[in-house]
Amino acid sequence: MMFRPSRMLLLATAVALGAGCAVQNPYVRDDGQMRKSTTYGTVGAIAGAAVGAATSSKKDRTKGALIGAAVGAAAGGGYGYYADKQEAELRRSMQGTGVEVQRQGDNIQLIMPGNITFATNSADIAGNFYAPLNNLANSFRLYDQNSIEIVGHTDNVGAHAYNLNLSQRRAQSVASYLMAQGVNGMRITTRGMGPDQPVASNATESGRAQNRRVEINLRPLPNAQY
């Protein structure tokens, strides 16, 4: 049976676009436009499907096209395609935890508010924060081709030096826990910013609550293969 191009296109596109399902479609930007990584991934998938079909026996041609499409999609998409899949997995695993997932180009940011992370004036991880951290550790072990920057933030109540130290200790607590769960410490860096990078006004309680947070920034590792 001849493997028609139209059938190959359908198979390749299905592989390229069906790699991840999430609450928010990871292949469509907020403005409704298709991500570039999806375009490149689809092109790679079609090319891979063609190669897979051409190099397989007649009996295994469909199977070969599917395998070739999957490999081609990943290669064609590069880090953008890789980050799309990771973003989708993170949105799924962080749903309902209070952890916010944001995406800026190739960078993924996780924002963890103070009400789920640490008690007041403490760098000890709160009991209800362990479950989200365990999910993050699982994701970071699975997706191991990006750096992990952990940044602690506080409001402006109290001495600046105290808040700076507290934010660093909180970032280090998160890093230590992730490493204890098997995340490679070579990928992890920590910073404490104290009250120096507020995202809301410190004049109100709700604003101070937003400023008390831990952020994790995921960026591509230099020279990594995707």
Side-chain angles (χ1 to χ4, degrees), residues 4-49:
R4 299 182 183 280
S6 59
R7 186 179 178 191
M8 180 165 54
L9 176 62
L10 288 173
L11 286 169
T13 305
V15 170
L17 299 181
C21 296
V23 177
Q24 175 178 322
N25 187 340
Y27 300 101
V28 178
R29 301 199 312 254
D30 292 339
D31 60 6
Q33 298 298 310
M34 193 73 74
R35 294 192 194 279
K36 286 184 179 179
S37 58
T38 303
T39 303
Y40 298 145
T42 303
V43 172
I46 294 169

Side-chain angles (χ1 to χ4, degrees), residues 100-103 107-111 215-218:
E100 183 181 352
V101 181
Q102 295 186 355
R103 176 79 177 271
N107 301 331
I108 299 174
Q109 185 177 64
L110 300 154
I111 301 175
E215 296 175 349
I216 296 182
N217 301 307
L218 305 176

Side-chain angles (χ1 to χ4, degrees), residues 8 20 37-38 57 91 95 101 115 136 155 159 166 176 185-186 196 200 203 207 212 218-219:
M8 180 165 54
S37 58
T38 303
S57 64
R91 289 189 184 278
Q95 187 176 17
V101 181
N115 65 324
L136 286 179
D155 59 29
L166 177 63
S176 296
M186 297 295 291
D196 295 340
R212 295 190 297 267
L218 305 176
R219 300 184 178 94

Side-chain angles (χ1 to χ4, degrees), residues 9 11 14 17 49 61 64 89 100 105 111 117 122-123 132 144 146 153 156 165 168 170 183 188 191 220 225:
L9 176 62
L11 286 169
L17 299 181
R61 195 160 286 169
E89 193 277 332
E100 183 181 352
I111 301 175
T117 52
S122 173
D144 60 357
N146 40 33
H153 301 269
N156 68 348
N165 179 265
Q168 176 62 47
R170 286 178 169 176
V183 180
I188 299 176
R191 281 196 300 156
Q225 298 297 315

